[in-house]
Amino acid sequence: MGIILIISGAVAMPLIYDAMIKVVVDDMMQLTPSSPIYDEWANPTVPLLSKFYFFEVQNPDEVINGDKPALVERGPYSYKLIVKRANVTSNANGTISSIPVYTYVFDREKSVGDESDTFLSINMPMTSTAYMMKDESRFVKQSMSLVLEALGESMFKRLSVADLLWGYDEPLFELVEKFFPIPGVGSQFGFLLGYNGTDINGMFTVYDGVANKSKLNHVNRWKGQTELDMWYTPEANMMNGTDGMMWHPFVEQNETLPLFHQDYCRTMPYIYKEDQMFKGIPLKRYYLAPFAYENGTTYPPNKGFCNEETCAPAGIQRMDPCRFGSPMGLSNPHFLYADPWLSDQITGLNPDVEKHENYFLLEPKMGMPYTMRMRLQINMYIENVGGIKQMGNVRTMYYPAIWFAQEVDVPDDVIKSYRLGFQLTGLIVDIMKYAMIVIGSLMVIPASIALVNTCYTKHQNKSSELDEEKKPLLTNESRRDNHSNITSVYAEDGKEMPGILSES
Protein backbone atom coordinates (compact mmCIF):
# COMPACT_ATOMS: atom_id res chain seq x y z
CA MET A 1 0.00 0.00 0.00
CA GLY A 2 2.84 2.38 0.86
CA ILE A 3 4.56 1.77 -2.47
CA ILE A 4 1.28 2.45 -4.27
CA LEU A 5 0.96 5.80 -2.45
CA ILE A 6 4.54 6.78 -3.38
CA ILE A 7 4.01 5.95 -7.05
CA SER A 8 0.64 7.72 -7.08
CA GLY A 9 2.10 10.84 -5.49
CA ALA A 10 5.16 11.01 -7.75
CA VAL A 11 3.51 10.05 -11.04
CA ALA A 12 -0.28 10.09 -10.91
CA MET A 13 -0.88 13.44 -9.19
CA PRO A 14 1.05 15.55 -11.78
CA LEU A 15 -0.84 13.74 -14.55
CA ILE A 16 -4.15 14.39 -12.82
CA TYR A 17 -3.24 18.07 -12.41
CA ASP A 18 -2.35 18.42 -16.10
CA ALA A 19 -5.60 16.72 -17.09
CA MET A 20 -7.62 19.03 -14.82
CA ILE A 21 -5.94 22.15 -16.23
CA LYS A 22 -6.50 21.01 -19.80
CA VAL A 23 -10.20 20.43 -19.23
CA VAL A 24 -10.64 23.81 -17.54
CA VAL A 25 -8.60 25.76 -20.12
CA ASP A 26 -10.21 24.06 -23.12
CA ASP A 27 -13.63 24.90 -21.75
CA MET A 28 -12.64 28.50 -21.00
CA MET A 29 -10.64 29.42 -24.13
CA GLN A 30 -13.33 29.68 -26.79
CA LEU A 31 -15.22 32.59 -28.26
CA THR A 32 -18.78 31.62 -27.41
CA PRO A 33 -21.30 33.58 -25.29
CA SER A 34 -21.06 30.99 -22.48
CA SER A 35 -17.27 31.23 -22.26
CA PRO A 36 -15.71 33.18 -19.35
CA ILE A 37 -13.51 35.15 -21.78
CA TYR A 38 -16.27 36.14 -24.20
CA ASP A 39 -17.34 39.38 -22.55
CA GLU A 40 -13.73 40.54 -22.14
CA TRP A 41 -13.08 39.77 -25.81
CA ALA A 42 -16.20 41.61 -26.98
CA ASN A 43 -15.71 44.67 -24.75
CA PRO A 44 -12.22 44.67 -23.21
CA THR A 45 -11.91 46.21 -19.75
CA VAL A 46 -8.14 45.77 -19.47
CA PRO A 47 -6.58 49.28 -19.53
CA LEU A 48 -5.00 50.10 -22.90
CA LEU A 49 -2.65 53.01 -23.46
CA SER A 50 -1.34 54.41 -26.74
CA LYS A 51 1.80 56.56 -26.55
CA PHE A 52 3.08 58.70 -29.42
CA TYR A 53 6.58 60.10 -29.88
CA PHE A 54 7.48 62.68 -32.54
CA PHE A 55 10.83 63.61 -34.06
CA GLU A 56 11.53 67.35 -34.33
CA VAL A 57 14.25 68.51 -36.69
CA GLN A 58 16.79 71.02 -35.32
CA ASN A 59 18.60 71.92 -38.56
CA PRO A 60 16.06 72.11 -41.43
CA ASP A 61 18.11 74.32 -43.74
CA GLU A 62 21.19 72.14 -43.38
CA VAL A 63 19.15 69.01 -44.15
CA ILE A 64 17.89 70.53 -47.38
CA ASN A 65 21.52 71.26 -48.29
CA GLY A 66 22.58 67.65 -47.70
CA ASP A 67 23.50 67.39 -44.01
CA LYS A 68 22.25 64.73 -41.63
CA PRO A 69 19.05 65.63 -39.79
CA ALA A 70 19.60 66.40 -36.10
CA LEU A 71 16.47 65.04 -34.43
CA VAL A 72 15.05 65.40 -30.94
CA GLU A 73 12.38 63.02 -29.68
CA ARG A 74 9.25 64.66 -28.23
CA GLY A 75 6.85 62.61 -26.14
CA PRO A 76 5.12 60.65 -24.94
CA TYR A 77 1.69 62.03 -25.75
CA SER A 78 -0.61 59.42 -24.30
CA TYR A 79 -4.18 58.34 -25.00
CA LYS A 80 -6.43 55.91 -23.22
CA LEU A 81 -7.61 53.43 -25.81
CA ILE A 82 -11.15 52.08 -25.49
CA VAL A 83 -11.98 49.08 -27.69
CA LYS A 84 -15.48 47.87 -28.44
CA ARG A 85 -16.59 45.25 -30.93
CA ALA A 86 -19.61 46.17 -33.01
CA ASN A 87 -21.92 43.85 -34.98
CA VAL A 88 -20.72 40.70 -33.19
CA THR A 89 -22.07 37.68 -35.09
CA SER A 90 -21.48 33.96 -34.51
CA ASN A 91 -21.31 32.02 -37.78
CA ALA A 92 -22.26 28.43 -38.54
CA ASN A 93 -18.76 27.51 -39.77
CA GLY A 94 -17.07 27.89 -36.38
CA THR A 95 -16.14 31.56 -36.77
CA ILE A 96 -17.25 34.81 -35.19
CA SER A 97 -17.33 38.24 -36.86
CA SER A 98 -17.05 41.75 -35.43
CA ILE A 99 -15.92 45.29 -36.22
CA PRO A 100 -13.38 46.65 -33.71
CA VAL A 101 -13.98 50.31 -32.89
CA TYR A 102 -11.13 52.26 -31.28
CA THR A 103 -11.76 55.42 -29.26
CA TYR A 104 -8.82 57.56 -28.13
CA VAL A 105 -9.06 59.80 -25.06
CA PHE A 106 -6.15 62.14 -24.35
CA ASP A 107 -4.44 61.44 -21.00
CA ARG A 108 -2.68 64.65 -19.92
CA GLU A 109 -1.27 63.10 -16.73
CA LYS A 110 0.71 60.56 -18.72
CA SER A 111 1.83 63.04 -21.37
CA VAL A 112 4.69 65.53 -21.46
CA GLY A 113 2.49 68.28 -22.84
CA ASP A 114 -0.80 69.18 -24.50
CA GLU A 115 -2.21 68.20 -27.87
CA SER A 116 -1.59 71.79 -28.92
CA ASP A 117 2.21 71.38 -28.64
CA THR A 118 3.87 71.97 -32.02
CA PHE A 119 6.95 70.54 -33.74
CA LEU A 120 8.87 71.18 -36.93
CA SER A 121 8.13 67.90 -38.68
CA ILE A 122 8.81 66.29 -42.03
CA ASN A 123 6.14 67.28 -44.56
CA MET A 124 5.09 63.81 -45.67
CA PRO A 125 2.48 64.85 -48.28
CA MET A 126 5.00 67.09 -50.03
CA THR A 127 7.90 64.61 -49.94
CA SER A 128 5.58 61.82 -51.11
CA THR A 129 4.48 63.94 -54.06
CA ALA A 130 8.10 64.67 -54.99
CA TYR A 131 8.95 60.96 -54.89
CA MET A 132 5.99 60.05 -57.12
CA MET A 133 7.16 62.65 -59.68
CA LYS A 134 10.77 61.45 -59.84
CA ASP A 135 10.38 59.56 -63.12
CA GLU A 136 8.41 62.29 -64.86
CA SER A 137 9.93 64.68 -67.39
CA ARG A 138 11.85 67.67 -66.15
CA PHE A 139 9.11 69.96 -67.43
CA VAL A 140 6.46 68.14 -65.38
CA LYS A 141 8.64 68.21 -62.27
CA GLN A 142 9.38 71.91 -62.63
CA SER A 143 5.69 72.60 -63.10
CA MET A 144 4.93 70.64 -59.92
CA SER A 145 7.61 72.60 -58.10
CA LEU A 146 5.84 75.84 -59.06
CA VAL A 147 2.55 74.44 -57.77
CA LEU A 148 4.17 73.44 -54.47
CA GLU A 149 5.66 76.90 -54.15
CA ALA A 150 2.30 78.53 -54.78
CA LEU A 151 0.75 76.35 -52.09
CA GLY A 152 3.47 77.33 -49.62
CA GLU A 153 4.81 73.78 -49.35
CA SER A 154 8.30 73.02 -48.06
CA MET A 155 10.15 69.97 -46.81
CA PHE A 156 9.34 70.73 -43.16
CA LYS A 157 6.16 72.03 -41.58
CA ARG A 158 5.26 73.11 -38.04
CA LEU A 159 2.30 71.08 -36.83
CA SER A 160 0.65 70.27 -33.52
CA VAL A 161 0.16 66.87 -31.93
CA ALA A 162 -3.52 67.04 -32.79
CA ASP A 163 -2.69 67.99 -36.41
CA LEU A 164 -0.27 65.11 -36.86
CA LEU A 165 -2.55 62.51 -35.32
CA TRP A 166 -6.12 63.49 -36.15
CA GLY A 167 -5.57 65.44 -39.32
CA TYR A 168 -5.23 68.94 -40.74
CA ASP A 169 -6.26 70.57 -43.99
CA GLU A 170 -3.48 69.88 -46.46
CA PRO A 171 -3.45 72.34 -49.42
CA LEU A 172 -1.78 69.81 -51.71
CA PHE A 173 -4.45 67.19 -51.01
CA GLU A 174 -7.19 69.77 -51.48
CA LEU A 175 -5.80 70.47 -54.95
CA VAL A 176 -5.54 66.78 -55.80
CA GLU A 177 -9.05 66.08 -54.54
CA LYS A 178 -10.41 68.91 -56.67
CA PHE A 179 -8.84 67.84 -59.97
CA PHE A 180 -7.68 64.22 -59.54
CA PRO A 181 -9.72 62.59 -56.74
CA ILE A 182 -8.23 59.37 -55.39
CA PRO A 183 -10.46 56.86 -53.55
CA GLY A 184 -9.54 56.81 -49.86
CA VAL A 185 -7.59 60.05 -50.02
CA GLY A 186 -9.38 63.21 -48.94
CA SER A 187 -8.27 66.77 -48.35
CA GLN A 188 -6.69 66.12 -44.94
CA PHE A 189 -3.62 64.32 -43.67
CA GLY A 190 -3.05 62.71 -40.25
CA PHE A 191 -1.57 59.46 -39.00
CA LEU A 192 -4.85 58.42 -37.33
CA LEU A 193 -7.20 60.39 -39.55
CA GLY A 194 -10.63 58.76 -39.44
CA TYR A 195 -9.71 56.17 -36.80
CA ASN A 196 -11.16 57.71 -33.65
CA GLY A 197 -14.50 56.11 -32.80
CA THR A 198 -15.21 54.79 -36.30
CA ASP A 199 -15.57 51.43 -38.04
CA ILE A 200 -12.67 52.14 -40.41
CA ASN A 201 -10.88 48.94 -39.32
CA GLY A 202 -13.49 46.85 -41.11
CA MET A 203 -15.05 43.49 -40.34
CA PHE A 204 -12.83 40.80 -38.84
CA THR A 205 -13.85 37.15 -38.84
CA VAL A 206 -11.88 34.81 -36.57
CA TYR A 207 -12.17 31.17 -35.52
CA ASP A 208 -14.04 30.64 -32.26
CA GLY A 209 -11.79 27.76 -31.13
CA VAL A 210 -14.61 25.30 -30.37
CA ALA A 211 -13.84 22.69 -33.02
CA ASN A 212 -10.12 23.43 -33.33
CA LYS A 213 -8.27 24.92 -30.35
CA SER A 214 -5.16 25.60 -32.41
CA LYS A 215 -7.11 28.15 -34.52
CA LEU A 216 -8.60 30.14 -31.64
CA ASN A 217 -8.85 33.83 -32.63
CA HIS A 218 -6.95 33.25 -35.89
CA VAL A 219 -8.11 35.53 -38.67
CA ASN A 220 -10.32 33.81 -41.21
CA ARG A 221 -11.37 36.92 -43.14
CA TRP A 222 -10.81 40.65 -43.10
CA LYS A 223 -13.27 42.89 -44.93
CA GLY A 224 -14.62 39.73 -46.51
CA GLN A 225 -11.28 38.68 -47.98
CA THR A 226 -9.32 35.56 -47.08
CA GLU A 227 -6.05 37.03 -48.37
CA LEU A 228 -4.49 40.37 -49.24
CA ASP A 229 -3.95 41.53 -52.82
CA MET A 230 -1.22 44.16 -52.56
CA TRP A 231 2.00 42.15 -52.27
CA TYR A 232 4.04 40.24 -54.82
CA THR A 233 3.72 36.59 -53.74
CA PRO A 234 0.88 34.42 -52.39
CA GLU A 235 2.85 33.86 -49.18
CA ALA A 236 3.18 37.60 -48.52
CA ASN A 237 -0.55 38.05 -49.11
CA MET A 238 -1.56 35.39 -46.58
CA MET A 239 -3.52 36.54 -43.52
CA ASN A 240 -2.14 34.36 -40.73
CA GLY A 241 -2.30 34.72 -37.00
CA THR A 242 -4.49 36.49 -34.47
CA ASP A 243 -5.15 40.15 -33.67
CA GLY A 244 -2.84 39.90 -30.65
CA MET A 245 -5.54 39.66 -27.98
CA MET A 246 -4.94 35.92 -27.53
CA TRP A 247 -3.39 32.88 -29.16
CA HIS A 248 -4.32 29.22 -28.85
CA PRO A 249 -3.97 27.52 -25.43
CA PHE A 250 -0.92 25.46 -24.45
CA VAL A 251 1.57 27.37 -26.59
CA GLU A 252 4.88 25.55 -27.11
CA GLN A 253 7.99 27.59 -26.41
CA ASN A 254 9.52 27.05 -29.87
CA GLU A 255 6.41 28.17 -31.77
CA THR A 256 6.39 31.25 -33.95
CA LEU A 257 3.31 33.26 -32.99
CA PRO A 258 1.87 35.22 -35.94
CA LEU A 259 -0.04 38.49 -35.51
CA PHE A 260 -2.07 40.06 -38.29
CA HIS A 261 -2.65 43.80 -38.10
CA GLN A 262 -4.58 45.65 -40.76
CA ASP A 263 -2.44 48.80 -40.41
CA TYR A 264 0.73 46.77 -41.05
CA CYS A 265 -0.95 45.20 -44.08
CA ARG A 266 0.71 41.90 -43.25
CA THR A 267 1.32 39.16 -40.69
CA MET A 268 4.11 39.80 -38.21
CA PRO A 269 6.05 36.88 -36.63
CA TYR A 270 6.89 36.79 -32.91
CA ILE A 271 9.46 34.37 -31.51
CA TYR A 272 10.45 33.25 -28.00
CA LYS A 273 13.23 35.19 -26.30
CA GLU A 274 13.31 34.30 -22.59
CA ASP A 275 11.32 33.44 -19.47
CA GLN A 276 10.28 36.46 -17.43
CA MET A 277 8.35 37.12 -14.22
CA PHE A 278 5.49 39.61 -14.10
CA LYS A 279 3.95 40.35 -10.70
CA GLY A 280 5.03 36.94 -9.50
CA ILE A 281 3.61 35.10 -12.53
CA PRO A 282 6.01 33.05 -14.71
CA LEU A 283 5.57 34.16 -18.32
CA LYS A 284 7.37 33.79 -21.65
CA ARG A 285 8.67 36.78 -23.57
CA TYR A 286 8.02 36.76 -27.32
CA TYR A 287 9.39 39.59 -29.46
CA LEU A 288 9.00 40.68 -33.04
CA ALA A 289 11.48 38.55 -34.94
CA PRO A 290 14.36 40.63 -36.31
CA PHE A 291 13.83 38.96 -39.70
CA ALA A 292 10.33 40.50 -39.91
CA TYR A 293 11.83 43.68 -41.41
CA GLU A 294 14.53 41.95 -43.45
CA ASN A 295 14.47 42.32 -47.22
CA GLY A 296 14.23 39.43 -49.67
CA THR A 297 18.00 39.30 -50.13
CA THR A 298 18.92 38.80 -46.49
CA TYR A 299 15.77 36.77 -45.72
CA PRO A 300 14.30 35.10 -48.85
CA PRO A 301 10.80 34.42 -47.38
CA ASN A 302 10.31 38.21 -47.35
CA LYS A 303 10.90 38.61 -51.07
CA GLY A 304 7.17 39.06 -51.62
CA PHE A 305 7.08 42.30 -49.64
CA CYS A 306 9.19 44.37 -52.04
CA ASN A 307 10.25 44.67 -55.62
CA GLU A 308 13.42 45.95 -57.27
CA GLU A 309 12.53 49.56 -56.51
CA THR A 310 11.16 49.25 -52.98
CA CYS A 311 13.46 46.72 -51.27
CA ALA A 312 14.98 48.62 -48.37
CA PRO A 313 17.99 47.92 -46.16
CA ALA A 314 17.53 45.24 -43.53
CA GLY A 315 15.48 46.51 -40.63
CA ILE A 316 12.83 48.45 -42.54
CA GLN A 317 9.92 47.44 -44.77
CA ARG A 318 8.47 49.68 -47.44
CA MET A 319 4.68 50.04 -47.39
CA ASP A 320 4.08 51.68 -50.78
CA PRO A 321 1.34 49.27 -51.97
CA CYS A 322 -0.46 49.67 -48.64
CA ARG A 323 -0.25 53.48 -48.58
CA PHE A 324 -1.38 54.63 -52.04
CA GLY A 325 2.19 54.53 -53.36
CA SER A 326 3.64 56.77 -50.64
CA PRO A 327 7.23 55.66 -49.86
CA MET A 328 6.66 54.99 -46.19
CA GLY A 329 8.58 52.34 -44.27
CA LEU A 330 7.96 50.46 -41.04
CA SER A 331 10.68 49.64 -38.54
CA ASN A 332 11.37 49.20 -34.87
CA PRO A 333 11.69 52.53 -33.02
CA HIS A 334 15.10 54.19 -33.38
CA PHE A 335 15.98 51.50 -35.98
CA LEU A 336 16.52 48.83 -33.33
CA TYR A 337 18.00 45.64 -34.90
CA ALA A 338 18.33 47.43 -38.27
CA ASP A 339 21.15 47.88 -40.77
CA PRO A 340 23.52 50.53 -39.29
CA TRP A 341 23.28 52.51 -42.53
CA LEU A 342 19.77 53.62 -41.57
CA SER A 343 20.81 55.26 -38.30
CA ASP A 344 24.09 56.54 -39.79
CA GLN A 345 22.06 59.03 -41.88
CA ILE A 346 20.49 60.54 -38.75
CA THR A 347 21.75 62.07 -35.52
CA GLY A 348 19.75 61.83 -32.30
CA LEU A 349 18.68 58.17 -32.39
CA ASN A 350 19.48 55.88 -29.46
CA PRO A 351 18.08 52.36 -29.91
CA ASP A 352 17.39 50.60 -26.61
CA VAL A 353 15.95 47.09 -26.26
CA GLU A 354 13.86 47.85 -23.18
CA LYS A 355 12.46 51.08 -24.62
CA HIS A 356 12.04 50.11 -28.26
CA GLU A 357 11.60 46.34 -28.60
CA ASN A 358 8.20 45.14 -29.80
CA TYR A 359 7.18 42.28 -27.47
CA PHE A 360 4.61 40.68 -25.19
CA LEU A 361 4.72 38.41 -22.14
CA LEU A 362 2.59 35.33 -22.69
CA GLU A 363 0.96 32.94 -20.24
CA PRO A 364 1.40 29.74 -22.28
CA LYS A 365 -1.38 27.59 -20.76
CA MET A 366 -4.10 30.01 -21.83
CA GLY A 367 -2.18 31.59 -24.71
CA MET A 368 -2.95 35.07 -23.40
CA PRO A 369 -0.53 38.02 -23.15
CA TYR A 370 -0.36 39.54 -19.66
CA THR A 371 1.63 42.53 -20.82
CA MET A 372 2.24 43.96 -24.30
CA ARG A 373 4.48 46.60 -25.79
CA MET A 374 3.55 46.87 -29.47
CA ARG A 375 6.05 49.40 -30.83
CA LEU A 376 6.31 50.69 -34.36
CA GLN A 377 8.11 53.53 -36.17
CA ILE A 378 6.92 55.20 -39.38
CA ASN A 379 9.66 56.47 -41.67
CA MET A 380 9.62 58.47 -44.88
CA TYR A 381 11.91 57.61 -47.77
CA ILE A 382 13.54 60.78 -49.11
CA GLU A 383 15.85 61.35 -52.05
CA ASN A 384 16.93 64.29 -54.17
CA VAL A 385 14.45 64.77 -57.02
CA GLY A 386 15.94 66.99 -59.70
CA GLY A 387 13.56 69.65 -60.93
CA ILE A 388 11.68 69.99 -57.63
CA LYS A 389 13.57 72.69 -55.82
CA GLN A 390 11.78 72.10 -52.50
CA MET A 391 13.86 68.90 -52.16
CA GLY A 392 17.11 70.85 -52.52
CA ASN A 393 20.18 68.61 -52.27
CA VAL A 394 18.78 66.36 -49.58
CA ARG A 395 20.63 63.11 -49.02
CA THR A 396 18.98 59.75 -49.59
CA MET A 397 17.62 58.43 -46.29
CA TYR A 398 14.72 56.97 -44.35
CA TYR A 399 13.55 59.86 -42.20
CA PRO A 400 11.90 58.90 -38.85
CA ALA A 401 8.60 60.76 -38.53
CA ILE A 402 6.84 59.20 -35.52
CA TRP A 403 6.87 56.11 -33.38
CA PHE A 404 4.15 54.81 -31.12
CA ALA A 405 3.51 52.12 -28.55
CA GLN A 406 0.36 50.34 -27.51
CA GLU A 407 0.79 49.22 -23.91
CA VAL A 408 -1.24 46.69 -21.96
CA ASP A 409 -0.71 45.37 -18.43
CA VAL A 410 -3.36 43.09 -16.96
CA PRO A 411 -4.78 44.47 -13.69
CA ASP A 412 -4.33 42.93 -10.25
CA ASP A 413 -7.71 41.15 -10.29
CA VAL A 414 -6.54 39.08 -13.27
CA ILE A 415 -3.32 38.26 -11.41
CA LYS A 416 -5.40 37.21 -8.40
CA SER A 417 -7.56 34.97 -10.58
CA TYR A 418 -4.45 33.35 -12.04
CA ARG A 419 -3.06 32.65 -8.59
CA LEU A 420 -6.34 31.14 -7.44
CA GLY A 421 -6.87 29.17 -10.60
CA PHE A 422 -3.40 27.89 -11.40
CA GLN A 423 -0.90 28.54 -8.64
CA LEU A 424 -3.23 27.56 -5.78
CA THR A 425 -4.35 24.44 -7.61
CA GLY A 426 -0.75 23.58 -8.36
CA LEU A 427 0.19 24.15 -4.72
CA ILE A 428 -2.61 21.87 -3.54
CA VAL A 429 -1.52 19.19 -5.98
CA ASP A 430 2.09 19.53 -4.81
CA ILE A 431 1.01 19.22 -1.17
CA MET A 432 -1.04 16.13 -1.98
CA LYS A 433 1.80 14.68 -4.01
CA TYR A 434 4.40 15.08 -1.28
CA ALA A 435 1.93 14.02 1.43
CA MET A 436 1.29 10.78 -0.43
CA ILE A 437 5.02 10.23 -0.84
CA VAL A 438 5.67 10.89 2.87
CA ILE A 439 2.77 8.75 4.07
CA GLY A 440 3.76 5.98 1.72
CA SER A 441 7.35 6.22 2.94
CA LEU A 442 6.21 6.04 6.58
CA MET A 443 4.27 2.92 5.73
CA VAL A 444 7.09 1.36 3.73
CA ILE A 445 9.94 2.04 6.20
CA PRO A 446 8.56 0.02 9.19
CA ALA A 447 7.55 -2.80 6.89
CA SER A 448 11.03 -2.72 5.37
CA ILE A 449 12.65 -2.85 8.81
CA ALA A 450 10.45 -5.79 9.87
CA LEU A 451 11.25 -7.58 6.64
CA VAL A 452 14.98 -7.07 7.19
CA ASN A 453 14.74 -8.35 10.75
CA THR A 454 12.81 -11.44 9.66
CA CYS A 455 15.33 -12.19 6.97
CA TYR A 456 18.23 -11.69 9.38
CA THR A 457 16.70 -14.03 11.99
CA LYS A 458 16.09 -16.74 9.42
CA HIS A 459 19.65 -16.35 8.22
CA GLN A 460 21.04 -16.75 11.75
CA ASN A 461 18.95 -19.86 12.46
CA LYS A 462 20.02 -21.44 9.24
CA SER A 463 23.69 -20.67 10.01
CA SER A 464 23.40 -22.37 13.45
CA GLU A 465 21.92 -25.49 11.92
CA LEU A 466 24.71 -25.71 9.39
CA ASP A 467 27.35 -25.34 12.14
CA GLU A 468 25.86 -28.26 14.08
CA GLU A 469 25.91 -30.46 11.01
CA LYS A 470 29.58 -29.71 10.38
CA LYS A 471 30.81 -30.65 13.98
CA PRO A 472 33.24 -33.81 14.23
CA LEU A 473 32.00 -36.82 16.15
CA LEU A 474 35.00 -36.65 18.63
CA THR A 475 36.63 -33.46 19.64
CA ASN A 476 39.82 -33.19 21.68
CA GLU A 477 37.75 -32.44 24.73
CA SER A 478 35.52 -35.47 24.20
CA ARG A 479 38.60 -37.65 23.74
CA ARG A 480 39.98 -36.51 27.06
CA ASP A 481 36.70 -37.22 28.75
CA ASN A 482 36.56 -40.75 27.28
CA HIS A 483 40.18 -41.36 28.23
CA SER A 484 39.44 -40.41 31.83
CA ASN A 485 36.45 -42.70 31.93
CA ILE A 486 38.41 -45.71 30.58
CA THR A 487 41.26 -45.12 33.06
CA SER A 488 38.80 -45.06 35.84
CA VAL A 489 37.32 -48.37 34.74
CA TYR A 490 40.67 -50.18 34.58
CA ALA A 491 41.76 -48.73 37.91
CA GLU A 492 38.69 -50.06 39.60
CA ASP A 493 39.25 -53.57 38.17
CA GLY A 494 42.96 -53.58 39.06
CA LYS A 495 43.95 -54.22 35.51
CA GLU A 496 46.71 -52.65 33.45
CA MET A 497 45.55 -50.42 30.55
CA PRO A 498 46.48 -51.29 26.96
CA GLY A 499 49.63 -49.59 25.63
CA ILE A 500 47.92 -47.28 23.24
CA LEU A 501 45.98 -45.82 26.04
CA SER A 502 48.89 -45.52 28.33
CA GLU A 503 50.92 -43.70 25.72
CA SER A 504 48.23 -41.21 25.22
Side-chain angles (χ1 to χ4, degrees), residues 25-26 29-30 37 207-209 212-218 241-242 244-258 286 362-369:
V25 170
D26 284 348
M29 299 304 294
Q30 48 186 275
I37 67 169
Y207 290 98
D208 60 21
N212 189 339
K213 299 298 180 187
S214 67
K215 288 189 174 183
L216 174 65
N217 200 39
H218 273 236
T242 76
M245 189 170 184
M246 70 185 79
W247 281 264
H248 63 83
F250 304 106
V251 171
E252 296 291 336
Q253 181 171 291
N254 61 350
E255 287 187 60
T256 296
L257 299 181
Y286 286 79
L362 188 82
E363 199 295 304
K365 292 186 185 71
M366 294 185 294
M368 296 192 71

Side-chain angles (χ1 to χ4, degrees), residues 228-399:
L228 302 173
D229 58 5
M230 62 194 66
W231 302 114
Y232 308 105
T233 64
E235 292 76 17
N237 279 318
M238 293 175 65
M239 290 191 293
N240 297 322
T242 76
D243 60 3
M245 189 170 184
M246 70 185 79
W247 281 264
H248 63 83
F250 304 106
V251 171
E252 296 291 336
Q253 181 171 291
N254 61 350
E255 287 187 60
T256 296
L257 299 181
L259 184 153
F260 174 77
H261 198 290
Q262 69 278 6
D263 291 332
Y264 302 171
C265 299
R266 61 164 291 188
T267 298
M268 306 296 270
Y270 287 78
I271 58 176
Y272 171 79
K273 185 174 187 179
E274 62 187 5
D275 287 359
Q276 194 168 323
M277 298 294 291
F278 175 73
K279 296 184 178 181
I281 305 298
L283 303 173
K284 300 200 177 284
R285 180 166 177 153
Y286 286 79
Y287 74 117
L288 181 63
F291 60 74
Y293 293 129
E294 297 284 325
N295 56 46
T297 301
T298 56
Y299 187 68
N302 282 353
K303 65 181 181 180
F305 291 114
C306 65
N307 57 25
E308 184 176 347
E309 179 182 355
T310 61
C311 278
I316 193 168
Q317 182 194 328
R318 287 280 288 270
M319 302 295 293
D320 304 40
C322 183
R323 291 291 180 264
F324 306 102
S326 178
M328 294 169 56
L330 301 183
S331 72
N332 285 316
H334 288 243
F335 294 130
L336 179 69
Y337 301 135
D339 187 321
W341 179 86
L342 292 166
S343 55
D344 286 346
Q345 311 309 311
I346 311 288
T347 61
L349 300 182
N350 299 287
D352 183 295
V353 171
E354 286 306 310
K355 293 180 180 179
H356 304 133
E357 188 173 75
N358 186 333
Y359 74 94
F360 54 83
L361 301 182
L362 188 82
E363 199 295 304
K365 292 186 185 71
M366 294 185 294
M368 296 192 71
Y370 273 41
T371 183
M372 298 186 76
R373 298 293 183 269
M374 311 300 286
R375 294 158 171 164
L376 179 74
Q377 181 169 294
I378 298 175
N379 311 278
M380 193 69 191
Y381 176 72
I382 297 175
E383 66 177 42
N384 184 7
V385 180
I388 298 183
K389 68 178 183 179
Q390 286 79 4
M391 298 301 294
N393 294 312
V394 67
R395 63 172 57 202
T396 299
M397 72 180 98
Y398 283 88
Y399 187 103

Side-chain angles (χ1 to χ4, degrees), residues 17-36:
Y17 170 73
D18 289 343
M20 289 170 52
I21 293 300
K22 188 175 191 315
V23 170
V24 172
V25 170
D26 284 348
D27 183 63
M28 178 174 63
M29 299 304 294
Q30 48 186 275
L31 297 176
T32 59
S34 60
S35 168

Side-chain angles (χ1 to χ4, degrees), residues 49-56 72-81 104-119 121 158-166 192 401-407:
L49 192 68
S50 286
K51 295 181 177 180
F52 298 91
Y53 300 81
F54 304 90
F55 292 100
E56 182 171 25
V72 174
E73 182 181 282
R74 306 296 190 192
Y77 291 86
S78 303
Y79 293 80
K80 295 175 183 177
L81 181 58
Y104 295 82
V105 180
F106 185 63
D107 190 335
R108 181 62 181 85
E109 291 184 359
K110 295 182 179 179
S111 303
V112 298
D114 296 315
E115 286 186 293
S116 58
D117 291 354
T118 62
F119 316 113
S121 305
R158 182 163 292 279
L159 298 165
S160 69
V161 172
D163 291 336
L164 287 165
L165 292 180
W166 313 118
L192 294 178
I402 180 178
W403 76 269
F404 61 89
Q406 286 191 354
E407 299 186 356

Side-chain angles (χ1 to χ4, degrees), residues 333-504:
H334 288 243
F335 294 130
L336 179 69
Y337 301 135
D339 187 321
W341 179 86
L342 292 166
S343 55
D344 286 346
Q345 311 309 311
I346 311 288
T347 61
L349 300 182
N350 299 287
D352 183 295
V353 171
E354 286 306 310
K355 293 180 180 179
H356 304 133
E357 188 173 75
N358 186 333
Y359 74 94
F360 54 83
L361 301 182
L362 188 82
E363 199 295 304
K365 292 186 185 71
M366 294 185 294
M368 296 192 71
Y370 273 41
T371 183
M372 298 186 76
R373 298 293 183 269
M374 311 300 286
R375 294 158 171 164
L376 179 74
Q377 181 169 294
I378 298 175
N379 311 278
M380 193 69 191
Y381 176 72
I382 297 175
E383 66 177 42
N384 184 7
V385 180
I388 298 183
K389 68 178 183 179
Q390 286 79 4
M391 298 301 294
N393 294 312
V394 67
R395 63 172 57 202
T396 299
M397 72 180 98
Y398 283 88
Y399 187 103
I402 180 178
W403 76 269
F404 61 89
Q406 286 191 354
E407 299 186 356
V408 183
D409 290 320
V410 296
D412 291 339
D413 60 331
V414 175
I415 299 297
K416 183 179 179 181
S417 297
Y418 176 91
R419 287 174 176 157
L420 289 173
F422 288 107
Q423 290 186 331
L424 182 59
T425 304
L427 178 61
I428 293 172
V429 169
D430 284 341
I431 291 172
M432 293 177 64
K433 177 178 72 174
Y434 291 116
M436 293 173 71
I437 293 173
V438 170
I439 293 171
S441 299
L442 292 176
M443 294 176 65
V444 168
I445 290 172
S448 300
I449 294 173
L451 180 62
V452 170
N453 285 335
T454 301
C455 292
Y456 180 75
T457 301
K458 288 183 178 181
H459 176 74
Q460 288 295 100
N461 293 338
K462 189 174 182 180
S463 297
S464 299
E465 292 174 1
L466 290 174
D467 288 344
E468 288 296 327
E469 292 175 359
K470 291 179 180 179
K471 279 185 178 181
L473 295 176
L474 290 176
T475 64
N476 289 335
E477 185 176 349
S478 63
R479 285 192 185 116
R480 284 193 295 270
D481 291 341
N482 290 338
H483 173 62
S484 299
N485 293 335
I486 294 172
T487 304
S488 299
V489 171
Y490 275 91
E492 291 176 358
D493 292 344
K495 297 179 182 181
E496 188 177 345
M497 293 185 295
I500 187 170
L501 292 174
S502 59
E503 290 178 2
S504 52

